Amino acid sequence: MSAREQILGKIGPLAEVKHPGAFHGASEDFDFKASLEVVGARVVSPEELERLFPDRQRFEKTLDGLSLAEVEVLEIDGEFGVAENGAIWLTEEALPHRVAPFICQHLVIHVQKIVPNMHAAYMELTNQTTGFGLFLAGPSKTADIEQSLVIGAHGARSLTVVIHA
Amino acid sequence: MRVALFVPCYIDQFYPQVAVASLELLEKLGCEVIVPTDQTCCGQPMANSGFASSTEGCDTNFAQNFEGFDYIVGPSGSCVLHLKEHHPSEKIRNSVYEICEFLTDVLKVSALSATFPHRVGLHQSCHGQRGLRLSSMSERNEKPFSKLQDLLSLVKGVEVVMPEREDECCGFGGTFCVTEEAVSVKMGQDRIKEHASNAVDYIVGADTSCLMHMEGILRRQGSKVQVKHIVEILNHA
Amino acid sequence: MLSHAEASENFIADAERTDWHDETLWFVRAKRDKASKVLPEWEALREHASQVKDHTLANLGDYLVAFEAKAKANGIHVHWAADAVEHNAIVHQIIAAQGSKVLVKSKSMLTEECHLNDYLAEKGIEVVDTDLGERIVQFRNEAPSHIVLPAIHLKKEDVGETFHEHLGTPKGNKDPQFLTEAARQHLRGHFLASEVAITGVNFAIAETGEFVVCTNEGNADMGAHLAKVHIACMGIEKIIPKRADLAVFLRLLARSATGQLITTYSSHFHKPREGQEMHIVLLDNGRTRQLADPKYKNSLKCIRCAACFNTCPVYRRSGGHSYHQPVAGPIGSILAPNIDKKANADLPFASTLCGSCSNVCPVKINIHEQLWFWRQDLMAAGLAPVGKSFGMKMMAYTLSNPAIYRMGGSLMRRFSSLLNSSMNPWYKQREMPQAPKESFQEWYKKR
């Protein structure tokens, strides 16, 4: 008997429990900009962006993630932002490579649309079929050394966002 | 109202004044109080130690002593919670009340003739709080409420102070107090430290087990802080 | 192996350090409270998440089959492992086919449960744990002491020493920023070189065949997106029915764990990268046994947030290593006995049953009730310490007989001063209660 058969065979019938369906009553009064700041991202105007990162680049699609290892500043477009937590949904279609937003030193994201909360976010993703997508909320961080927050763990050291919505 | 007084075993043996205060208070409030004299214990010490299978004799004795009462009232949140959750008789489970619960929900006490002009730190014993919902808990996002504080507010002169960690466990935990002695005592010492920093005269709660544990530490420390069961204050002249 | 009580006694011997450990973790609990109080719908979210998990567990077989079909259709290889041994063999086989001798792994408590690192080490394969906290304890040859904050038991001086020894950072440097930068450079080298990456799985979606990995550091992604082979290891209980269900879980997870709004990265792996091999290993290792027991089934709802650890007054004062197996704290104490009753018989007793854990649990696991049930099952299995069974029988007998109870009580009060001895564990740091002359019943008789 395969492990699969063994495992499935051990799962006996259990009393019916209904799925509760969609969640109702979620808060909607969030401020995307404020949430971005809470997660450690910086919000700038297009003019400020020019001043901060005049040498930023957009990169061509590549199959070689390592070719992006020396990228200082990566500029990309996010599909939408989530006001409740400052997260931005990105798909691999919008990235030169899946590793891009992690391997670069500094990340710049343009956001055109904002939804209030995660429930609305997943409504947006109803027909999403991308091979890889992520909610990215701020620069990488850790507090693993005596609970001291350090910005810039293994992913990007900073996140700068321009809101066009 | 006809009420049977449930006297937890360790209160019967070591803190009789708590049962005396309970009896007197209930009578003051107009209850006819019967005290079954062959009662022993609720069975919790065995059950919480993994020997619920051995409590049949205890459960039977309890049922025999308290047969026919609609209100079985006792000054112990943990004992009452145990009975409500584990006693085999549905009638018993539906008839037991912790005394603060009884005063608030059944007698709906709105005035007391008690005076206790002291500063007291309130200890929210876990089983009464999270199990019997004597007050709201810090873990949940809920509107604050406290049957204990409501009752204390009816006592003249008493000043109630909450410790910083409002509902952390004191560390008694039944046989835990000796099987995990180091953790138990550390938890008790930490609770006491918070109350001491509030300069209270008494630590007050609705569970004598917690108070007994903290009192043991206080006396070992030579502290002037004493413990009192809330019912002693509610009954205080 | 020390019991929890013995290990805790050692831990508490350093009272100052215990206070530091307790306050550090209480602060994490406080952050969680703050985050939860901002959302008026918090309790409704917990209830909803709990129901989704209950429903999933009631239909686990169907959801697992559905997940497998979708994942396979998307090009992911799906493997099933009945136990830890099978799991490790499968993972090894995939690595061996690639020929790698070193690889990166992001946090996976499941791989700790299976002792995967040790298994692979025996086969000559080095696993580099890339979560900063896990790398620190890996250097120190210690187990993680917390499932979300693996190095919470260490002070920055300790980390400084460890990095000086293993990474050549300057002796005495304990600056978290500096040390984290050193780890970033060191692990970046491994990410860029690694052909195989192992990750855990936070959630697997039956509807779409995708799985989600949540990190703050970005280490899971740095490994997976550069590797030729990505192996994701998951317990069968990590399945949830629909992608839309993720909204509730992602809103609850980080807030419950650390008080954050969401982890920095919530990566949704749907299909392998072009040219990449993606594998997922579904592990049972006793989970089906837990599922079949109505008393313990709910423990499978766990989303590994560790809120129960942070709130537990016992965990905070005894440290994760006192629980002598990979998952410590309250949830560990109800999961571990299912894996090995004898070795873990002490854990359900490392609790006062205060109930705080059940009330911070985002999926409403009745942890404190399961601790109580385990106590019954373990004693029934004959695992009581020497003398306890007899003592309990004596207590039960005494308390069933009013006359014997009264006599016993009277004797105890009369000779209570005898209990003021070092033989009495109560008396070690506490005074005994003063024995009154009369019991209540004796007083009442005369009234």
Side-chain angles (χ1 to χ4, degrees):
Chain A
M1 199 196 277
S2 68
R4 181 185 190 276
E5 280 157 22
Q6 243 187 81
I7 293 170
L8 291 171
K10 286 197 191 140
I11 299 175
L14 287 173
E16 154 91 354
V17 178
K18 279 179 122 64
H19 187 289
F23 182 80
H24 296 291
S27 300
E28 298 196 338
D29 55 339
F30 298 105
D31 180 344
F32 184 54
K33 183 164 183 285
S35 297
L36 280 169
E37 278 156 17
V38 167
V39 300
R42 160 175 59 179
V43 180
V44 302
S45 67
E47 296 75 31
E48 284 172 303
L49 183 66
E50 260 313 307
R51 275 199 300 279
L52 283 166
F53 297 114
D55 301 324
R56 68 191 185 280
Q57 268 189 280
R58 286 178 183 270
F59 290 83
E60 293 287 306
K61 272 216 166 297
T62 174
L63 288 174
D64 179 15
L66 291 173
S67 68
L68 299 169
E70 303 307 314
V71 170
E72 276 294 313
V73 187
L74 175 74
E75 183 178 24
I76 55 178
D77 293 308
E79 245 180 66
F80 59 85
V82 186
E84 96 163 271
N85 52 27
I88 300 167
W89 177 256
L90 303 167
T91 62
E92 68 177 340
E93 282 73 21
L95 302 169
H97 185 282
R98 291 183 183 188
V99 83
F102 303 93
I103 204 169
C104 65
Q105 298 298 320
H106 301 279
L107 187 57
V108 174
I109 308 183
H110 295 270
V111 176
Q112 312 280 354
K113 179 176 186 179
I114 299 168
V115 299
N117 57 39
M118 291 301 282
H119 306 283
Y122 278 100
M123 286 291 286
E124 289 289 317
L125 298 180
T126 307
N127 299 312
Q128 179 75 261
T129 53
T130 183
F132 174 76
L134 75 148
F135 283 107
L136 186 149
S140 80
K141 51 183 88 81
T142 180
D144 270 342
I145 298 178
E146 218 183 304
Q147 283 292 286
S148 303
L149 180 65
V150 176
I151 305 286
H154 305 298
R157 296 173 188 276
S158 79
L159 172 61
T160 306
V161 177
V162 183
I163 305 173
H164 300 273
Chain B
M1 193 174 290
R2 196 165 166 269
V3 166
L5 185 68
F6 157 46
V7 184
C9 56
Y10 63 103
I11 288 180
D12 181 30
Q13 297 298 329
F14 284 99
Y15 293 87
Q17 68 270 32
V18 174
V20 172
S22 304
L23 171 62
E24 289 179 353
L25 182 61
L26 287 168
E27 285 180 341
K28 265 184 206 164
L29 293 170
C31 297
E32 182 202 348
V33 185
I34 320 298
V35 181
T37 53
D38 276 346
Q39 60 181 299
T40 57
C41 171
C42 68
Q44 188 187 197
M46 282 90 72
N48 282 3
S49 300
F51 288 84
S53 55
S54 301
T55 61
E56 203 186 317
C58 213
D59 291 336
T60 304
N61 186 62
F62 191 92
Q64 281 169 353
N65 273 270
F66 291 96
E67 194 179 334
F69 287 98
D70 290 333
Y71 299 106
I72 304 164
V73 181
S76 167
S78 66
C79 303
V80 168
L81 181 67
H82 170 76
L83 290 162
K84 280 197 193 198
E85 289 186 338
H86 300 295
H87 196 279
S89 155
E90 192 183 342
K91 171 73 179 153
I92 298 275
R93 290 197 304 272
N94 292 338
S95 307
V96 283
Y97 293 84
E98 184 276 337
I99 193 163
C100 296
E101 180 184 30
F102 184 73
L103 294 172
T104 308
D105 298 348
V106 181
L107 292 186
K108 299 197 180 9
V109 171
S110 56
L112 289 170
S113 60
T115 305
F116 195 74
H118 298 280
R119 196 172 151 88
V120 311
L122 183 58
H123 175 68
Q124 315 228 61
S125 301
C126 304
H127 297 129
Q129 183 197 28
R130 296 190 187 88
L132 298 177
R133 306 297 274 129
L134 292 180
S135 46
S136 54
M137 61 181 99
S138 61
E139 292 84 359
R140 289 203 198 167
N141 193 351
E142 60 181 355
K143 199 153 152 252
F145 68 91
S146 173
K147 297 180 190 181
L148 306 186
Q149 294 206 52
D150 289 346
L151 288 168
L152 284 169
S153 72
L154 302 175
V155 179
K156 282 181 266 305
V158 72
E159 191 192 345
V160 181
V161 188
M162 296 305 295
E164 199 180 311
R165 295 190 195 176
E166 292 203 350
D167 48 20
E168 190 177 21
C169 178
C170 70
F172 175 73
T175 50
F176 179 90
C177 74
V178 290
T179 59
E180 290 254 4
E181 185 266 347
V183 181
S184 173
V185 170
K186 183 80 178 95
M187 286 168 68
Q189 288 169 340
D190 290 349
R191 292 296 79 240
I192 284 166
K193 204 170 9 164
E194 285 200 340
H195 287 290
S197 72
N198 284 336
V200 301
D201 301 317
Y202 295 88
I203 296 176
V204 170
D207 244 293
T208 303
S209 43
C210 310
L211 298 172
M212 174 171 73
H213 164 70
M214 288 191 281
E215 181 181 56
I217 298 170
L218 284 165
R219 286 178 46 225
R220 180 60 62 91
Q221 290 174 345
S223 168
K224 289 204 180 65
V225 178
Q226 294 175 67
V227 303
K228 266 234 190 291
H229 190 286
I230 189 175
V231 90
E232 296 180 80
I233 294 177
L234 301 177
N235 188 51
H236 211 270
Chain C
M1 186 194 77
L2 293 179
S3 68
H4 180 275
E6 289 164 337
S8 309
E9 200 175 344
N10 293 341
F11 188 89
I12 286 174
D14 187 343
E16 215 181 288
R17 196 169 169 118
T18 301
D19 287 340
W20 163 81
H21 187 263
D22 167 68
E23 277 153 22
T24 304
L25 283 154
W26 177 259
F27 184 57
V28 186
R29 153 84 209 266
K31 284 194 285 187
R32 169 256 171 214
D33 284 359
K34 206 157 157 227
S36 69
K37 302 273 192 268
V38 167
L39 300 179
E41 69 265 36
W42 181 259
E43 298 300 331
L45 281 168
R46 291 179 67 221
E47 178 60 29
H48 192 97
S50 172
Q51 287 181 24
V52 171
K53 283 279 184 174
D54 283 336
H55 163 77
T56 308
L57 291 175
N59 298 281
L60 189 63
D62 292 341
Y63 280 124
L64 283 168
V65 169
F67 173 77
E68 178 192 38
K70 280 270 153 45
K72 275 176 150 168
N74 290 328
I76 302 177
H77 300 272
V78 179
H79 310 263
W80 300 71
D83 57 28
V85 170
E86 274 185 29
H87 168 273
N88 294 348
I90 291 167
V91 174
H92 175 239
Q93 198 178 49
I94 300 167
I95 299 168
Q98 190 57 31
S100 300
K101 291 293 174 201
V102 190
L103 57 95
V104 292
K105 181 172 72 104
S106 66
K107 196 177 302 141
S108 161
M109 288 319 298
L110 185 137
T111 60
E112 293 287 325
E113 182 187 326
C114 296
H115 302 287
L116 179 68
N117 288 15
D118 290 338
Y119 178 90
L120 291 174
E122 273 168 37
K123 308 267 187 224
I125 296 167
E126 184 194 346
V127 175
V128 176
D129 282 322
T130 60
D131 172 274
L132 177 58
E134 293 216 318
R135 188 57 169 156
I136 293 167
V137 297
Q138 186 172 49
F139 278 148
R140 296 171 65 91
N141 228 350
E142 284 173 13
S145 68
H146 187 285
I147 61 179
V148 168
L149 313 164
I152 194 76
H153 60 292
L154 299 171
K155 294 197 168 195
K156 36 187 197 277
E157 292 80 0
D158 304 319
V159 181
E161 263 170 48
T162 300
F163 277 15
H164 169 65
E165 195 188 320
H166 291 268
L167 297 181
T169 48
K171 191 166 172 66
N173 186 312
K174 55 181 183 172
D175 174 44
Q177 186 95 29
F178 183 85
L179 295 170
T180 302
E181 180 68 32
R184 179 190 171 94
Q185 297 309 325
H186 154 71
L187 286 166
R188 194 174 176 90
H190 282 288
F191 290 131
L192 298 181
S194 195
E195 298 202 317
V196 178
I198 298 176
T199 70
V201 167
N202 288 84
F203 306 98
I205 317 299
E207 183 190 34
T208 58
E210 68 195 293
F211 60 93
V212 179
V213 182
C214 303
T215 70
N216 275 320
E217 299 176 22
N219 56 313
D221 293 89
M222 278 296 278
H225 301 314
L226 292 172
K228 283 212 184 78
V229 179
H230 173 187
I231 309 171
C233 305
M234 72 173 256
I236 54 175
E237 82 283 17
K238 294 297 183 76
I239 291 270
I240 59 178
K242 303 190 245 229
R243 188 188 270 164
D245 292 327
L246 282 169
V248 172
F249 291 101
L250 291 183
R251 297 187 77 202
L252 287 167
L253 178 61
R255 287 181 170 99
S256 300
T258 59
Q260 286 178 280
L261 299 175
I262 191 169
T263 50
T264 307
Y265 308 105
S266 308
S267 299
H268 295 49
F269 293 84
H270 199 183
K271 297 173 191 156
R273 197 180 71 241
E274 199 179 318
Q276 182 194 48
E277 240 179 76
M278 194 179 272
H279 297 260
I280 192 159
V281 187
L282 305 172
L283 176 69
D284 178 2
N285 203 34
R287 287 157 173 74
T288 46
R289 184 170 55 236
Q290 204 105 345
L291 183 67
D293 191 331
K295 302 191 299 289
Y296 307 122
K297 170 170 63 82
N298 279 345
S299 62
L300 294 172
K301 299 196 293 190
C302 180
I303 61 174
R304 302 291 193 269
C305 73
C308 60
F309 288 51
N310 305 333
T311 200
C312 179
V314 175
Y315 171 83
R316 279 186 269 114
R317 293 175 181 79
S318 56
H321 294 153
S322 299
Y323 294 74
H324 52 71
Q325 45 75 45
V327 180
I331 189 68
S333 302
I334 60 174
L335 292 174
N338 179 54
I339 297 177
D340 185 338
K341 278 203 178 86
K342 188 149 183 245
N344 300 309
D346 58 332
L347 297 182
F349 293 92
S351 163
T352 56
L353 303 180
C354 77
S356 186
C357 51
S358 303
N359 286 287
V360 294
C361 178
V363 289
K364 291 190 161 183
I365 301 172
N366 56 334
I367 303 174
H368 73 292
E369 289 177 348
Q370 294 190 38
L371 287 166
W372 192 92
F373 287 128
W374 270 118
R375 293 180 181 193
Q376 313 309 322
D377 285 350
L378 291 167
M379 295 301 96
L383 293 168
V386 176
K388 180 175 178 183
S389 216
F390 177 73
M392 284 292 144
K393 298 265 154 62
M394 292 301 333
M395 197 192 283
Y397 175 70
T398 305
L399 296 170
S400 313
N401 285 282
I404 296 176
Y405 156 77
R406 285 192 289 269
M407 177 153 63
S410 168
L411 285 170
M412 185 163 60
R413 277 178 287 117
R414 181 111 47 93
F415 297 108
S416 65
S417 59
L418 284 177
L419 291 167
N420 295 349
S421 101
S422 57
M423 295 280 285
N424 175 8
W426 174 282
Y427 194 68
K428 198 165 166 203
Q429 303 186 75
R430 290 167 285 212
E431 290 299 307
M432 287 291 289
Q434 274 167 319
K437 291 224 165 47
E438 289 176 323
S439 69
F440 171 79
Q441 292 286 5
E442 285 165 0
W443 171 87
Y444 183 70
K445 222 173 175 173
K446 301 188 209 155
R447 193 184 194 230

